[in-house]
Amino acid sequence: MLLAMDLGGTWCRVACFERLGERLRAVRRLPTRPERGFFPLLEELVAASRALLGGMVPTGVGVAAPGPLDPKRGVLLRLPNLPQWPEALPLAELLAERLGAPTRVDNDANLAALGEHRFGAGRGVDHLVYLTVSTGIGGGIISGGRLLHGVHGFAGEVGHQVILPDGPPCGCGGRGCLEVLASGTAIVRRAQAAGLPADRLAEEGAAAVFAAAAAGDPRAQEVIAGATRALGLGVVNLLHVFDPALVVLGGGVTQAGEALFGPVRAVVASLAMPGFRETPILPAALGDEAGLYGAAVVAAEA
Ligand SMILES: [Zn+2]
C-alpha cells in the first residue's frame, strides 16, 4: 500500500494506492489553515492517513509539498507563502516516525509534472516540460524519463524565468518574472488596474478576465494578450533549453482553453527556432490530482 499526500494548496489531500498506476479512489481533504501553524495539521494528516490505511502499514509515503525544499533530506526550507510554518521543517522524518514507513518529499509542481508524465497527458513521453498556471506559476522538467532536480533540488522554477527585466517586482526578489506577468494573480491585478469590475474579479479570478475578453471588452483583451504573450515567451525559452517532445500546461488558468493555448502556440510558431515550432503544447490530463499521482510514484521509490 502506497500513501500519497499533496500539501500544495488551501486544502491538503491524502490518498492511498494499492499499487502504482491504479486510479485514484478514496481521497481525504483537510484545510491547510496556515494561521494555526504546522503541528496541528501534521497530526490531522497522520489521523487521516491511518483512517485510510485501516490498520495496514504503507510500504512508502510520498509527499508533494510547497517549496523551496530539499528533496534529498525531505526538509522544507523557509516558505515565503507559509511564514507560520517553522523554517527547516524535517517533514519526511516527522511523517516517517509517525507512519512507520520510508517517506519521500518533493516539490508539488515537480510531482505534478511526474504525475502527468507517468499517468497523464505525457504518458510514454520521456522528454517533457510541465507548467502549472494558477495563483503562481510552477513546473517541472522530465528529461530522459527522470525528474530534473539540479544541485539543490530547486530545478524547474519555470515561473521565475525573467521575461521583462524592468517589469513588476516578484515575490522571489526579482523583477518581471513569468509569474508576475502571467499567473492568475497577475491577470487579476492587471485587470483591476485596467478598471474591470472588482467584485467579479474577486469572485471568479482570471476566469472573469477571459470572459470579459471573449465578450469584447478591449481592456480585458489587452490584459489577456499581455499574459498569454509572456507565457508563450516562457514556453519558447523552455523549448530552446530542454528540447522536449511535449509541453503540458495545467493549473486553473488553463481552463480558459483555446483563449490561452491559441496565443501561446502562436508565439511559439513565430518566435521559437525552426526545429522547435511544431512541439505539441497540450492541456494537462489529471487536473489538481497530478500531484497525488506524482507523490505515489516517489512513495513507490521510497
Ligand atoms: Zn520571481
Side-chain angles (χ1 to χ4, degrees), residues 134-192:
S134 57
T135 51
I137 295 184
I141 315 294
I142 305 287
S143 187
R146 308 277 307 168
L147 188 58
L148 203 69
H149 276 111
V151 66
H152 304 100
F154 299 164
E157 287 292 355
V158 297
H160 297 287
Q161 52 177 316
V162 178
I163 300 291
L164 204 62
D166 300 318
C170 179
C172 73
R175 268 186 182 279
C177 295
L178 179 58
E179 178 166 294
V180 289
L181 300 174
S183 65
T185 312
I187 291 172
V188 167
R189 195 188 56 242
R190 292 181 139 200
Q192 253 161 359

Side-chain angles (χ1 to χ4, degrees), residues 37-297:
F38 173 73
F39 286 93
L41 174 65
L42 176 66
E43 298 316 327
E44 286 183 17
L45 287 167
V46 169
S49 301
R50 291 197 176 122
L52 274 173
L53 289 161
M56 308 233 284
V57 175
T59 52
V61 181
V63 186
L69 56 82
D70 176 349
K72 280 200 200 96
R73 297 184 299 138
V75 172
L76 308 196
L77 306 176
R78 199 158 66 88
L79 306 174
N81 298 327
L82 291 165
Q84 305 89 343
W85 288 14
E87 198 173 322
L89 182 66
L91 181 60
E93 190 185 317
L94 291 168
L95 285 169
E97 270 169 11
R98 285 164 176 74
L99 295 167
T103 302
R104 289 265 305 272
V105 174
D106 207 332
N107 177 288
D108 50 354
N110 277 347
L111 290 187
L114 190 59
E116 289 287 344
H117 160 59
R118 292 291 297 270
F119 307 113
R123 204 170 351 174
V125 180
D126 277 349
H127 301 272
L128 77 85
V129 166
Y130 168 84
L131 288 95
T132 170
V133 188
S134 57
T135 51
I137 295 184
I141 315 294
I142 305 287
S143 187
R146 308 277 307 168
L147 188 58
L148 203 69
H149 276 111
V151 66
H152 304 100
F154 299 164
E157 287 292 355
V158 297
H160 297 287
Q161 52 177 316
V162 178
I163 300 291
L164 204 62
D166 300 318
C170 179
C172 73
R175 268 186 182 279
C177 295
L178 179 58
E179 178 166 294
V180 289
L181 300 174
S183 65
T185 312
I187 291 172
V188 167
R189 195 188 56 242
R190 292 181 139 200
Q192 253 161 359
L196 266 80
D199 50 340
R200 277 200 68 190
L201 290 172
E203 229 169 83
E204 298 166 37
V209 189
F210 279 99
D217 185 324
R219 300 165 303 177
Q221 284 170 347
E222 199 184 322
V223 170
I224 296 303
T228 51
R229 179 167 174 83
L231 187 58
L233 292 171
V235 170
V236 168
N237 291 338
L238 294 166
L239 290 173
H240 289 167
V241 175
F242 295 107
D243 185 20
L246 173 66
V247 176
V248 176
L249 302 182
V253 177
T254 63
Q255 297 296 317
E258 200 48 35
L260 179 136
F261 282 86
V264 168
R265 290 186 185 118
V267 173
V268 169
S270 68
L271 291 178
M273 285 163 64
F276 299 94
R277 288 179 190 162
E278 309 297 321
T279 312
I281 300 169
L282 299 180
L286 301 175
D288 64 1
E289 290 174 348
L292 282 175
Y293 279 98
V297 174

